[in-house]
Amino acid sequence: MDFYELLKLYKEKNGLSYGDIGSHIDMKADAFRMAVNRKSLSDLQKQALEPLFVNELDDNHPVKRQLKEVSNFLSKYKELAFKDPKISKILDKEVARRLSEVVSNKEALEKFLNS
């Protein structure tokens, strides 16, 4: 599957609009839709969007390989990694984002509390 097929699959699977996805690269809905239909997104724009649908990428894709390397590193050097201020900041932001999602949605909060 090429990039644009994966992008469309991701869009449909998650019930997203072109505006939802385009906002990740600062594009308005119409401009993003036209760029996708023309298959004219730049390599940099594609790289910025690929992590959104990483689950659809094959194991040899560079993004998937990088995530696996980071995961392996963190599992091996967890204590050292958590002491790094940059990694700590990323994790803190992710925890805050997740907490905000859970608190703002009753179903998500119930699921979280029951897990």
Side-chain angles (χ1 to χ4, degrees), residues 1 3 15 17 24 30 34 40 46-48 53 57-58 70 72 80 87 95 97 99 112 114-115:
M1 240 186 245
F3 172 83
S17 69
H24 289 278
D30 289 337
M34 287 174 27
S40 63
K46 289 181 198 176
Q47 286 176 351
F53 47 87
L57 301 175
D58 66 32
V70 169
N72 289 340
L80 288 174
I87 292 175
V95 168
R97 184 190 63 75
L99 184 59
F112 176 77
N114 293 329
S115 64

Side-chain angles (χ1 to χ4, degrees), residues 43-68:
D43 289 340
L44 197 55
Q45 289 170 321
K46 289 181 198 176
Q47 286 176 351
L49 292 171
E50 281 178 332
L52 294 176
F53 47 87
V54 73
N55 292 332
E56 281 82 23
L57 301 175
D58 66 32
D59 289 337
N60 291 326
H61 193 279
V63 171
K64 196 84 165 217
R65 285 197 320 257
Q66 286 175 344
L67 287 172
K68 187 171 181 149

Side-chain angles (χ1 to χ4, degrees), residues 20-36:
D20 295 332
I21 301 171
S23 68
H24 289 278
I25 55 172
D26 295 327
M27 285 184 82
K28 302 275 185 207
D30 289 337
F32 184 73
R33 180 183 46 77
M34 287 174 27
V36 169

Side-chain angles (χ1 to χ4, degrees), residues 33-113:
R33 180 183 46 77
M34 287 174 27
V36 169
N37 289 335
R38 292 179 183 159
K39 297 186 175 188
S40 63
L41 291 171
S42 72
D43 289 340
L44 197 55
Q45 289 170 321
K46 289 181 198 176
Q47 286 176 351
L49 292 171
E50 281 178 332
L52 294 176
F53 47 87
V54 73
N55 292 332
E56 281 82 23
L57 301 175
D58 66 32
D59 289 337
N60 291 326
H61 193 279
V63 171
K64 196 84 165 217
R65 285 197 320 257
Q66 286 175 344
L67 287 172
K68 187 171 181 149
E69 286 177 29
V70 169
S71 175
N72 289 340
F73 174 83
L74 286 175
S75 64
K76 190 172 183 179
Y77 301 106
K78 187 193 269 184
E79 285 184 36
L80 288 174
F82 289 143
K83 289 179 184 177
D84 182 284
K86 288 180 184 176
I87 292 175
S88 259
K89 189 174 183 178
I90 290 169
L91 293 173
D92 289 344
K93 284 183 179 180
E94 180 60 26
V95 168
R97 184 190 63 75
R98 180 69 180 121
L99 184 59
S100 172
E101 287 175 1
V102 168
V103 171
S104 65
N105 181 330
K106 183 180 176 184
E107 292 169 359
L109 181 57
E110 288 175 359
K111 184 177 176 183
F112 176 77
L113 293 173

